[in-house]
Amino acid sequence: MHELPQQLVNGLLLGSMYGLVAIGYTMVYGIVQLINFAHGEIFMTGGFGALTVWLMLPTGTTMWVALPLMLIGAIAVATTIAVAAERFAYRPLRNAPRLAPLITAIGLSLALQQAVWAWYPEAKSSRVFPEIPGGPFHIGSITIQTGDVFLLIAAPVCMVVLGWFVMKTRTGRGMQATAQDPDTAKLMGINTDRIIVVAFALGAAFAAVGAVAYGLKYGEVNFKMGFLLGLKAFTAAVLGGIGNIYGAMIGGLVLGLAETMATAYIAHIPGMQQLGGQAWADVWAFVLLILVLLFRPQGLLGERVADRA
């Protein structure tokens, strides 16, 4: 039990990363009813965008100068790919049967993986990501690595900015109206196409922030890193209530805590020693998804997307 505070912090950090990526899933689904399974790869391209900026900087550039530039590069790459995907892959299929855009998203996911592998042949094995100097930091029995400091700051700031944007800006109110009833929103003069592009861009920007946090936390990026993390972020979106942006972050936190606690403590339960450890971390995440779908399919915060039947 003396490790409990540390495990709680580890779970909150991991959950914050899931939540940042889950926001993209839930925003796009809330507006166009599309599960963008390529979103995990958009997260991955953000990480490589940041890495590219780092490699282009002069030797000896300090991390405090490089990190803002890397963040801008990550957001620029991820949002460009997301907006292009919406315009050329998803928009032509907007009125098609739902299976068509779903298959397109899976195909786009594989295409992005191979494109990054072709651009970075070394990405077949993990590429080393730069580290923030200093640390680790100790608060009582809790240890926080320097790479986690960025996530501790970025996740709350992103949620505050998103909440302000959605509730206080004209575009944010347009997003709410489009999610509620796109046809009526058009009649009220809202450019729903532009709103959808903004949703894709915002989701990609948050995923890019999460990708930089991932690189700083684990010290590496690779072309497959978006697949599993994207599935977990989707799990977080479903757990919080797909279509609810606040639920996405809450679902991410709950998933991160559940995964961390199961990994740390299940092995200590008599008769379950073989079910603990990091090897089972992914299993418990999807066990949680199955339980949510069975007993509360609308998610923790319920479904906020209007029934358009």
Side-chain angles (χ1 to χ4, degrees), residues 198-229:
V198 170
F200 272 86
L202 277 176
F206 286 118
V209 174
V212 174
Y214 179 98
L216 294 172
K217 181 179 179 65
Y218 297 110
E220 62 180 29
V221 292
N222 64 77
F223 79 107
K224 291 184 177 180
M225 73 184 204
F227 177 74
L228 186 58
L229 194 139

Side-chain angles (χ1 to χ4, degrees), residues 40-117:
E41 274 55 53
I42 291 172
F43 159 85
M44 178 267 295
T45 59
F48 277 92
L51 179 65
T52 302
V53 171
W54 168 257
L55 295 176
M56 293 174 61
L57 291 173
T59 304
T61 303
T62 66
M63 194 60 180
W64 304 112
V65 174
L67 186 57
L69 298 176
M70 292 168 62
L71 191 58
I72 292 171
I75 292 173
V77 170
T79 54
T80 299
I81 293 174
V83 170
E86 190 281 327
R87 178 62 184 87
F88 299 108
Y90 297 137
R91 189 179 299 185
L93 300 174
R94 196 172 293 167
N95 296 318
R98 289 190 179 183
L99 189 59
L102 181 62
I103 294 173
T104 300
I106 296 172
L108 180 60
S109 171
L110 297 174
L112 288 173
Q113 280 191 21
Q114 295 306 308
V116 170
W117 181 84

Side-chain angles (χ1 to χ4, degrees), residues 142-155:
I142 299 172
T143 300
I144 299 176
Q145 303 296 329
T146 52
D148 293 329
V149 173
F150 173 80
L151 186 56
L152 282 172
I153 298 171

